[in-house]
Amino acid sequence: MPLPKAELHLHVEGTLEPELAFRLAERNGVRLPYADTEELRKAYEFADLQSFLNLYYELMAVLRTEQDFADLADAYLTRAAAQGVRHAEIFFDPQAHIARGVPMSTVVEGLWRALGNSEAAHGVSTRLIMCFLRDESADSALETLEAARPHLDRITGVGLDSAEVGHPPAKFREVYEAAAALGLRRVAHAGEEGPPAYITEALDVLGVERVDHGLRCLEDPALVERLVRDRIPLTLCPLSNVRLRAVDALTEHPLRRMMEAGLLCTVNSDDPAYFGGYVADNYHAVRAALGLTKEQMRELARNSFLASFLADDEERRARYLAEVDAYEFSAAVP
Ligand code: HPA
Ligand code: ZN
């Protein structure tokens, strides 16, 4: 049995496996510029974030109907459950779909077909986090929030993703203020490729409660001190960092140092179809590469629930934490 955990940094569009991409392409009469899944997999060689995003946005062309979004999310939840995920907070990128003529309602209601049934079907509780594309305008983000208003009963929070460098958080001050006024929780990608100042700005200007990635905080000791003191969770994605060349190799990943510095670290998969592993694969990979102990693995799992947006269901959070505390590691784990 896998270690029970929450996944807090997962782009649902990044769970699109090549097989499903081709199946949906055929169903929707969309032509992909790859002969087959094997040829597509060969394109999964990335130099940086942008080279990944190019393929990520290209493949979204196959997602057109509510059922497509439902199938995508259901495939993720099936895999997540098998990896010990008990709770998933799932990002989606509405602007990337609206720009292709797929309305917000199709995206949200499609995802909800799977999410609304996830506890019964998979034993996984869920939340949805709507991300704004930071390489689009602030006005576009505001329009997106407006388009989401009829669906806010399905949406727990807002996030910020896509190409980071050159698109600092402060550009989105207004839309984050509006989101906060609507009672939405706030997170943002910061310090993946961008400088530590973007992390500080996400905290100070956008009021984020959790930082996605946050890897580059290590370059600013005062910021690390603040993140430790204020118990700001970081959603780290180790296999993503290797694939997008944010770190040279998994053995060089700072996760262990970050945990030992007192940071509230979580481990997540980001875009698992593209980066070679789902969340338990990330846990196993860092354990092996960094020599994490059983108690450090348990700390990561505990952190995932502590950092989750389960404030509206503390009873459930306590139940999940008790499952982590009671978990017995197999002898294979040091
Ligand atoms: N970083 C930024 N934007 C993204 C990512 C990521 O890893 N995945 C999907 N959108
Ligand atoms: Zn991400």
Side-chain angles (χ1 to χ4, degrees), residues 9-11 91 161 189 192 212-213 237 240 270-271:
H9 186 153
L10 180 280
H11 303 265
F91 294 140
D161 65 3
H189 284 51
E192 178 185 20
D212 295 314
H213 293 296
C237 306
S240 164
D270 209 1
D271 301 282

Side-chain angles (χ1 to χ4, degrees), residues 83-106:
Q83 298 229 338
V85 173
R86 307 286 284 111
H87 176 77
E89 302 194 347
I90 300 176
F91 294 140
F92 69 110
D93 284 329
Q95 284 156 293
H97 308 302
I98 292 169
R100 302 181 292 107
V102 179
M104 178 72 83
S105 59
T106 300

